[in-house]
């Protein structure tokens, strides 16, 4: 069975998901395999998809039970029957040095442009016991870094058990212990002194805070709080608590009603904010969201022009951040052992998996999963070059 996990967040993701389903159908045809499409896009558009793509054998939204039942059946039925009936060896991914842990799902906020609450519903916490169980399994399988995700991670708490501080402390105390804990998607109004203190004690100095814009008027229309000057204050508090922290953000350009002046405000903010990285996206109207029917929709060509301009500003500022690391010590987690050119590929604590740059370390014998104390020698865009020093197992 070929399983395609889909995304329904924005149009580009929907198109990519449908292309992946079609690719899976092609792959499965003639091999006697079945195709299952699962996840958010299916949750939202199941009937339409099933009508358009009858070649798909199983449509399964956010409830994984039908998929698990079909997989059990495909593998011969019953618990523990995985792999039986396979006709050819399946290549396994090399063990991951980094593992994502979902600590919550859904969102109670209602940002005007966002389809996630329509797909996933209201915020729900994953229980501490479940998070710790998943963490133990990931660490036992070789993960060295745990990356905590959710749409709104800063508000995690389990009544009667504790909040994020407790969760981070318990994760850090597991055996084997994670080398790094990283928390993604911290909403700006959820970052308070208690959270910063918890991050400084237990996590890497990395703050992923989706700001989306800096002009107060645009943020109000987005149904979000804050403005550029409040965000600069927030970043100052972050840097005080976590000196040298990498701050990553995301911005939307071309939101309905965004004027030249609003956009200039955003550009000026980005030039001042000293971010280590940011994703920049053109506004993409999603059906069923309030923003889709707002007046003042910005022409796509202008939105793309603004994205390009903002992207350049982000690149410039980020180059300054990464360049300033030269000569500094870095802890690097090796993800790919030494290549023919004598360089191993990893990430320093200031770089998250999948979205950020890499750290290229010169040093003999470096192995995947190893933690190396290195010194930054240079930077190229978002990548860092470093020389290896002391190693840990
Ligand atoms: S906080 Fe994030 S997930 Fe929640 S509605 Fe806003 S953009 Fe969507």
């Amino acid at each position: 069975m070929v399983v395609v996990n889909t995304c329904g967040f924005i149009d580009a993701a929907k198109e990519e998901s449908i292309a992946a389903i079609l690719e899976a159908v092609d792959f499965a045809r003639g091999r006697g395999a079945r195709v299952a499409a699962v996840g958010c896009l299916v949750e939202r558009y199941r009937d339409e998809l099933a009508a358009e793509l009858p070649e798909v054998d199983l449509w399964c939204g956010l409830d994984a039970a039908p998929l698990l039942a079909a997989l059990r059946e495909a593998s011969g039925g019953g618990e523990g029957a995985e792999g039986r009936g396979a006709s050819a060896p399946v290549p396994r991914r090399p063990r991951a040095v980094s593992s994502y842990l979902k600590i919550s799902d859904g969102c109670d906020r209602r940002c005007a442009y966002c389809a996630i609450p329509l797909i996933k519903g209201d915020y729900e916490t994953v229980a501490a016991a479940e998070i710790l169980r998943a963490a133990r399994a990931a660490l036992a399988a070789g993960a060295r870094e745990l990356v905590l995700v959710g749409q709104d991670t800063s508000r995690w708490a389990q009544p009667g058990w504790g909040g994020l501080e407790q969760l981070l402390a318990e994760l850090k105390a597991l055996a084997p212990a994670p080398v790094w804990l990283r928390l993604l998607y911290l909403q700006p109004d959820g970052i308070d002194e208690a959270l910063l203190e918890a991050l400084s004690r237990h996590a890497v100095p990395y703050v992923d805070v989706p700001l989306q814009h800096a002009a107060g008027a645009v943020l109000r229309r987005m149904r979000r709080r804050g403005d550029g000057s409040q965000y600069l204050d927030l970043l100052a508090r972050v840097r005080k608590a976590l000196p040298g922290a990498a701050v990553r953000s995301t911005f939307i350009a071309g939101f309905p009603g965004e004027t030249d002046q609003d956009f200039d405000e955003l550009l000026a903010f980005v030039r001042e904010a000293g971010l280590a990285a940011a994703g920049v996206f053109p506004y993409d109207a999603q059906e069923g969201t309030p923003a889709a029917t707002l007046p003042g929709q910005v022409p796509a060509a202008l939105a793309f022009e603004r994205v390009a301009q903002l992207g350049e500003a982000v690149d410039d500022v980020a180059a300054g951040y990464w360049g300033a690391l030269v000569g500094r010590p870095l802890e690097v987690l090796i993800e790919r052992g030494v290549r023919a050119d004598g360089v191993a590929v990893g990430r320093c604590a200031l770089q998250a998996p999948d979205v950020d740059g890499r750290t290229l370390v010169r040093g003999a014998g470096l192995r995947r999963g190893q933690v190396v104390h290195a010194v930054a020698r240079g930077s190229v865009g978002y990548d860092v070059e470093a020389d290896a020093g002391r190693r840990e197992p």
Side-chain angles (χ1 to χ4, degrees):
M1 178 171 281
V2 183
V3 181
V4 181
N5 192 13
T6 64
C7 176
F9 183 37
I10 52 173
D11 287 354
K14 292 176 187 170
E15 283 157 19
E16 197 177 324
S17 295
I18 289 169
I21 294 172
L22 293 173
E23 202 183 316
V25 165
D26 258 4
F27 177 86
R29 194 173 287 144
R31 286 181 167 86
R34 295 199 294 154
V35 173
V38 306
C40 292
L41 186 72
V42 181
E43 183 72 21
R44 189 139 193 233
Y45 298 105
R46 183 191 311 253
D47 293 345
E48 294 90 325
L49 288 166
E52 290 294 320
L53 295 166
E55 306 92 323
V56 173
D57 302 287
L58 177 70
W59 297 99
C60 177
L62 298 179
D63 174 10
L67 174 67
L68 296 176
L71 286 172
R72 266 198 294 274
E73 190 195 320
S75 63
E79 298 289 339
E82 294 87 346
R84 271 207 267 141
S87 55
V90 179
R92 299 183 63 161
R93 282 184 64 199
R95 66 182 191 155
V97 299
S98 179
S99 183
Y100 291 100
L101 287 184
K102 190 186 273 192
I103 64 167
S104 68
D105 211 356
C107 187
D108 287 346
R109 298 168 189 261
R110 292 292 183 266
C111 300
Y113 51 82
C114 182
I116 284 179
L118 302 175
I119 301 169
K120 298 239 171 184
D122 285 342
Y123 175 89
E124 266 182 46
T125 303
V126 176
E130 174 57 26
I131 298 169
L132 290 166
R133 188 202 58 73
R136 275 190 208 97
L139 294 166
R144 314 282 334 258
E145 175 186 26
L146 300 176
V147 183
L148 277 51
V149 294
Q151 274 83 32
D152 196 354
T153 46
S154 56
R155 64 175 282 195
W156 188 93
Q158 184 171 311
W161 190 87
L164 262 184
E165 155 91 52
Q166 178 73 13
L167 181 64
L168 292 172
E170 299 237 355
L171 286 167
K172 211 59 205 277
L174 291 174
V179 175
W180 293 341
L181 287 179
R182 190 183 301 276
L183 206 51
L184 299 186
Y185 316 126
L186 297 163
Q187 294 299 328
D189 56 7
I191 302 177
D192 57 15
E193 306 322 303
L195 176 68
L196 290 172
E197 164 73 18
L199 291 178
S200 74
R201 285 160 65 101
H202 305 296
V204 289
Y206 185 94
V207 172
D208 173 43
V209 52
L211 298 173
Q212 312 301 9
H213 213 281
V218 176
L219 285 161
R220 290 305 87 68
R221 278 200 301 285
M222 287 179 168
R223 302 189 183 172
R224 292 178 64 88
R225 299 184 195 150
D227 58 30
S229 103
Q230 289 172 28
Y231 291 167
L232 288 175
D233 286 349
L234 170 67
L235 296 182
R237 285 193 288 117
V238 164
R239 290 181 177 121
K240 190 163 170 229
L242 305 167
V247 179
R248 181 184 179 86
S249 192
T250 48
F251 298 103
I252 297 172
F255 189 77
E258 183 191 63
T259 61
D260 286 346
Q261 199 185 339
D262 293 329
F263 180 67
D264 287 346
E265 216 174 300
L266 175 55
L267 259 185
F269 171 81
V270 162
R271 291 196 177 115
E272 205 179 332
L275 302 173
V280 179
F281 303 92
Y283 168 68
D284 184 358
Q286 292 303 300
E287 65 174 338
T289 60
T293 51
L294 278 179
Q297 299 283 325
V298 173
L302 179 56
F304 278 101
E305 205 179 290
R306 288 176 177 171
V307 165
Q309 221 181 325
L310 193 59
E312 251 175 58
V314 168
D315 287 349
D316 279 354
V317 172
Y321 175 84
W322 296 106
L325 292 181
V326 173
R328 302 242 183 110
L330 297 172
E331 199 177 61
V332 183
L333 179 56
I334 302 298
E335 296 190 300
R336 225 177 323 138
V338 176
R339 309 182 300 205
D341 60 0
V343 169
V345 182
R347 278 179 296 110
C348 68
L350 305 168
Q351 295 165 320
D354 297 321
V355 286
D356 288 330
R358 306 169 303 170
T359 299
L360 308 172
V361 190
R362 223 164 38 182
L366 297 171
R367 285 176 288 104
R368 181 182 169 77
Q370 201 169 28
V371 176
V372 183
H373 296 269
V375 175
R377 177 172 25 94
S379 69
V380 181
Y382 292 81
D383 291 341
V384 178
E385 296 167 326
D387 292 317
R390 184 167 60 83
R391 297 137 199 231
E392 290 175 16

